[in-house]
Amino acid sequence: QAGLTQPPSVSMGLRQTATLTCTGNSNNVGNHGAAWLQQHQGHPPKLLSYRNDNRPSGISERFSASRSGNTASLTITGLQPEDEADYYCSAWDSSLSVWVFGGGTKLTVL
Amino acid sequence: EEQLLESGGGLVQPGGSLRLSCATSGFTFSNFALSWVRQAPGKGLEWVSTSSGGNRWYADSVKGRFTISRDSSKNTLYLQMNSLRAEDTAVYYCTKPGNDAFEIWGQGTMVSVSS
């Protein structure tokens, strides 16, 4: 079951802006939108956004998500040391009736 | 507060079986889908299975070997894992999907398959 495509790593400086991408197809991201998860080492994932651009309560406004066609993006502004983590995108694939994940992007804050 | 608590992980030999449990609280169990997602050591997230109403879905990698079930009287989700392989070694998370996303996650339980 093919997954979503994410760059393995992104590095940006403190207080800068990072944009992470996630590419799928018309059966998953393009149709159902994407969700973004943050995972710190040794901890379970935490939902950051859902249905492309919605933030759960308690998630900082520094995290914003969007979608264009089959590609979803997560933008993190004003990078902080605690933003250093692995970020995963996910989507429901209605053609395969499976959930798919991206391989994850490791964000390093320099 | 919605909570998920996994248990049942451990060390098992290849070909063996294990049953994971996920005790839930804070929401009406029978009204919501529940899923299992795993993460092999140092690797990414992999969806395993989802139970919703009378429907069940499985990843190809576990189809025919794993069975998801739920007990509404105990508000508990299960994952029966048979014919375990080394590549099934992972942390197994119980998660509650909603709004086309995995909204709530448990802390996970480790399964190690090794001789």
Side-chain angles (χ1 to χ4, degrees):
Chain A
Q1 288 148 340
L4 308 176
T5 300
Q6 296 183 251
S9 63
V10 168
S11 299
M12 296 298 290
L14 194 63
R15 294 183 294 278
Q16 290 190 323
T17 296
T19 299
L20 313 182
T21 60
C22 167
T23 301
N25 59 40
S26 59
N27 295 314
N28 44 60
V29 174
N31 188 3
H32 298 279
W36 287 93
L37 300 152
Q38 178 192 58
Q39 186 180 34
H40 288 104
Q41 182 72 26
H43 292 269
K46 180 173 75 172
L47 183 66
L48 294 178
S49 73
Y50 60 93
R51 288 182 180 161
N52 301 318
D53 56 2
N54 295 278
R55 253 191 324 268
S57 61
I59 300 300
S60 169
E61 293 179 354
R62 298 190 298 106
F63 295 91
S64 63
S66 62
R67 181 192 69 175
S68 176
N70 297 331
T71 297
S73 299
L74 176 71
T75 299
I76 311 170
T77 59
L79 282 169
Q80 300 296 309
E82 60 266 29
D83 297 331
E84 192 161 287
D86 294 322
Y87 291 83
Y88 294 91
C89 58
S90 69
W92 171 252
D93 190 303
S94 51
S95 172
L96 301 174
S97 292
V98 300
W99 286 91
V100 287
F101 284 96
T105 295
K106 182 176 182 61
L107 175 64
T108 300
V109 180
L110 303 172
Chain B
E1 180 188 4
E2 298 178 341
Q3 290 190 324
L4 307 171
L5 182 62
E6 305 93 335
S7 62
L11 176 63
V12 61
Q13 292 188 337
S17 298
L18 211 56
R19 189 179 80 157
L20 305 183
S21 300
C22 171
T24 73
S25 60
F27 60 95
T28 304
F29 180 81
S30 57
N31 288 356
F32 292 94
L34 288 166
S35 299
W36 290 98
V37 172
R38 69 184 180 183
Q39 186 171 35
K43 302 297 185 182
L45 301 170
E46 179 189 16
W47 170 76
V48 173
S49 181
T50 295
S51 167
S52 179
N55 298 311
R56 305 173 186 180
W57 297 270
Y58 297 94
D60 286 346
S61 58
V62 306
K63 203 172 292 184
R65 299 187 300 123
F66 290 11
T67 302
I68 192 170
S69 63
R70 47 201 299 163
D71 185 338
S72 294
S73 69
K74 297 181 179 179
N75 292 341
T76 300
L77 177 76
Y78 300 101
L79 185 68
Q80 178 66 44
M81 304 186 295
N82 298 330
S83 303
L84 282 162
R85 308 165 180 168
E87 54 264 35
D88 295 318
T89 294
V91 174
Y92 285 73
Y93 293 104
C94 176
T95 175
K96 177 175 171 286
N99 293 313
D100 293 329
F102 294 108
E103 292 184 315
I104 309 298
W105 294 72
Q107 289 299 307
T109 186
M110 182 70 201
V111 172
S112 296
V113 184
S114 174
S115 55

